[in-house]
Amino acid sequence: MGGKPSKSSNPGSNDVIMILLLGPTGAGKSSFINKALGSETMPVNHKLKPHRCKVTHVDMKFPYGDGGQTRKIIFVDTPGLNRGDETGQSELKSKIAAWRRKNAKKGEIAGILYLDRITDNRATKPPLKQLEDFAKLYGVSFDKTVFLVTTHWDDLSERLVGERREEEIRENYWRAPFPHPLRHYHSRESARNVVRCFLQDCIGDSPYGG
């Protein structure tokens, strides 16, 4: 079990890393967590309408490095953060706040993964203002600890289509100093690679001690 989480930008090896997952309904947040876990633990909604209204969490000992090291990760799964739904966004903030009060002893949120579908007919602008608001609420750096993860790559008939949409997002919306967008290919290794990138780029935690 991990010790008390550090509030520094580079937690120690025994500290808990809490990752908040945000994204529209159907982006694949719960599926991503299940792939990272290697088990079907979280219920998955295959429709584009919300099927639950609670903030939930699950933790795992994340394999990290070649020497059998692990890090305790807590994934915080949330209802859909849907564009233009200001009422829903306000309710989501209230639900996350209630979850944090109930689980205060688990530590602080280290960063945010914002998941969105690459399969939409055109590249969609991430809700930057809303993400900035969430980052401020949780005391994390908006341009260093909020990561865009594109999902549903396995549903594309041609990967080139997704690559063009990804490039459009990078050029128009998700430019530096934001971290480079990450891809999730709906596999365990893909999900865990996203988490490794988060650990290394967000909190400077290298699996190889560098």
Side-chain angles (χ1 to χ4, degrees), residues 125-134 142 172-174 178:
K125 179 180 179 180
L128 299 181
K129 179 61 170 65
Q130 290 81 2
L131 290 175
E132 184 176 14
D133 289 345
F134 276 101
F142 177 47
N172 296 327
Y173 310 125
W174 203 262
F178 288 112

Side-chain angles (χ1 to χ4, degrees), residues 30 41 64 82-83 92 108 113 128 166 173 181 184 195 205 209:
S30 300
T41 300
Y64 198 49
N82 297 307
R83 299 176 185 84
L92 178 56
E108 301 293 331
L113 296 180
L128 299 181
E166 181 185 60
Y173 310 125
H184 175 46
V195 176
D205 187 9

Side-chain angles (χ1 to χ4, degrees), residues 9-208:
S9 61
N10 188 10
S13 60
N14 292 324
D15 292 324
V16 176
I17 306 298
M18 188 181 299
I19 304 175
L20 179 70
L21 277 76
L22 297 174
T25 303
K29 299 183 294 294
S30 300
S31 294
F32 173 87
I33 293 174
N34 286 338
K35 290 301 181 182
L37 293 172
S39 64
E40 297 298 312
T41 300
M42 307 295 285
V44 175
N45 178 20
H46 294 289
K47 300 178 181 180
L48 292 181
K49 294 183 179 180
H51 76 303
R52 60 180 173 78
C53 59
K54 295 195 302 182
V55 175
T56 58
H57 73 276
V58 63
D59 59 74
M60 73 174 293
K61 290 184 177 180
F62 184 74
Y64 198 49
D66 295 332
Q69 306 99 311
T70 61
R71 295 298 305 264
K72 183 173 180 181
I73 304 288
I74 297 178
F75 296 107
V76 183
D77 195 11
T78 63
L81 175 63
N82 297 307
R83 299 176 185 84
D85 183 4
E86 294 184 4
T87 299
Q89 291 168 11
S90 177
E91 291 177 352
L92 178 56
K93 289 179 182 178
S94 297
K95 290 171 182 176
I96 296 175
W99 179 90
R100 291 185 73 202
R101 287 192 297 270
K102 184 178 179 181
N103 297 276
K105 292 182 179 180
K106 294 185 181 297
E108 301 293 331
I109 291 171
I112 297 169
L113 296 180
Y114 177 77
L115 279 67
D116 206 353
R117 299 177 297 270
I118 198 65
T119 50
D120 290 349
N121 288 331
R122 58 188 180 88
T124 52
K125 179 180 179 180
L128 299 181
K129 179 61 170 65
Q130 290 81 2
L131 290 175
E132 184 176 14
D133 289 345
F134 276 101
K136 288 179 179 178
L137 276 176
Y138 311 132
V140 299
S141 171
F142 177 47
D143 59 357
K144 294 181 180 178
T145 62
V146 178
F147 287 69
L148 170 64
V149 182
T150 52
T151 61
H152 291 271
W153 283 85
D154 51 308
D155 291 334
L156 291 170
S157 56
E158 296 183 27
R159 183 170 295 185
L160 181 60
V161 173
E163 291 173 349
R164 288 172 177 167
R165 290 172 185 162
E166 181 185 60
E167 185 64 23
E168 184 179 344
I169 292 171
R170 288 177 58 196
E171 290 182 353
N172 296 327
Y173 310 125
W174 203 262
R175 297 187 294 267
F178 288 112
H180 193 285
L182 302 172
R183 300 178 185 180
H184 175 46
Y185 292 102
H186 201 61
S187 68
R188 183 175 70 173
E189 181 55 32
S190 176
R192 292 187 175 185
N193 184 60
V194 168
V195 176
R196 291 187 197 102
C197 290
F198 174 91
L199 291 173
Q200 188 165 357
D201 294 347
C202 173
I203 62 175
D205 187 9
S206 170
Y208 309 108

